[in-house]
Amino acid sequence: MRLRKTIIIALIITATIAAIWFGVGLIVMKNAIISYQPPKSGSSYEDLASTKCFNVARFSKLKRIELTIPSKEDGCLLSGTLIYNPTPSAKTIIYSHMITGSRWDVLKGGKIDSLLARGFNVLTFDQRAHGKSEGTVPSYGFLEKHDLDQWIDTVATIFPNGIIGVEGVSTGAATAILHAGEINPEKETYRKVAFYVFECSYSDLAKQLAYKINQHYYLPNVALSTSLKILDHPFNGFNIYNVSPVKAARYISVPVLFVHSKADSYVPTQMSEELYKAVHAPKMLLLVPKVNHAEAVDSPTLYWNTYDSFLKTIVKIKR
């Protein structure tokens, strides 16, 4: 009788723990993907123009065109802006913003002015389910890497035989890494990206979500892993385990620059170090002290000196 009672208690405890694991995993997936809602303010052009983060008067004089392309994955319309360099150029940076951001994040920290000063045109776009782009939920790079590829093809058509670079931040960087390792190696030469800049990317989506569970709920990573294996695809519409930048990084074949903030409390700094080690192509790594997630450009001297060194010594592009 005592043994039976002990077994029942053990089963109840196990079931309770399992329910907590599944519940927390479902909550995280629901908040991050299923019920995702982009912010209604903070990242629009009007919001950023009201700050002193860039030269509004200069920007208003720049030639730019609005672009809309249909996604080949599901037909949703994707919206972007091509900003031409004041001095005609065939060099273009494609900017891939972070989750909850918008195409106008490229205005933060004077980044747009700095890129234009280095002779680049800038194509910046709203990720699916952000800004003016259609889509109901983000897939954290799973579909976005194909969207990015379409923007690359668009730039290659506008500037035939030009130089294309891609810069991504946070989730946008993870998307860029997936493209760099899974798609770019197979592209035709004139549509191939010449170099990438990845800032504060996670190395693996499942690991990143598990890290957030541990950070916010103080539960071990197995809590998320268990939930994902059962609940993943039916709820998300894609397999989170297929969003692994570190696996894609092994196949990158062009120069890359990794940037990460040492004080990053959102994505662990060691994830960029892990990604850096996985890449066999020419590479550089910059760890910026004191600043938080996606704020490396707030240390402009260190950031842009490293950026210039990367372009000159690794990519072999003259400023």
Side-chain angles (χ1 to χ4, degrees), residues 208 211-212 215 261-269 291-293:
Q208 174 62 17
Y211 169 76
K212 301 308 290 184
Q215 187 181 54
S261 308
K262 286 187 176 181
D264 196 332
S265 59
Y266 190 80
V267 177
T269 307
V291 298
N292 210 324
H293 184 68

Side-chain angles (χ1 to χ4, degrees), residues 148-160:
L148 173 59
D149 192 55
Q150 287 187 241
W151 287 116
I152 291 165
D153 287 347
T154 299
V155 169
T157 301
I158 297 172
F159 302 105

Side-chain angles (χ1 to χ4, degrees), residues 12 69-70 81 87 93 101 106 120 130 133 142 157 166 209 234 242 256 266 272 311 316:
I12 292 174
I69 59 175
T81 302
T87 302
I93 290 288
V106 75
F120 292 103
H130 290 75
S133 288
F142 183 74
T157 301
V166 169
L209 293 179
N242 287 336
V256 295
Y266 190 80
S272 276
L311 292 179
K316 310 294 185 184

Side-chain angles (χ1 to χ4, degrees), residues 26 56 85 110 137 141 151 174 190 205 253 258 262-263 302-303 319:
L26 180 58
V56 178
N85 198 286
V137 295
W151 287 116
Y190 87 102
L205 180 55
S253 58
F258 288 95
K262 286 187 176 181
L302 177 59
Y303 181 87
R319 180 171 173 176

Side-chain angles (χ1 to χ4, degrees), residues 151-198:
W151 287 116
I152 291 165
D153 287 347
T154 299
V155 169
T157 301
I158 297 172
F159 302 105
N161 302 312
I163 296 173
I164 299 174
V166 169
E167 179 169 346
V169 177
S170 191
T171 310
T175 295
I177 295 171
L178 292 170
H179 182 273
E182 297 178 6
I183 299 176
N184 199 57
E186 305 301 322
K187 291 179 70 70
E188 298 175 8
T189 301
Y190 87 102
R191 292 180 183 267
K192 189 184 289 285
V193 176
F195 66 92
Y196 294 82
V197 178
F198 311 123

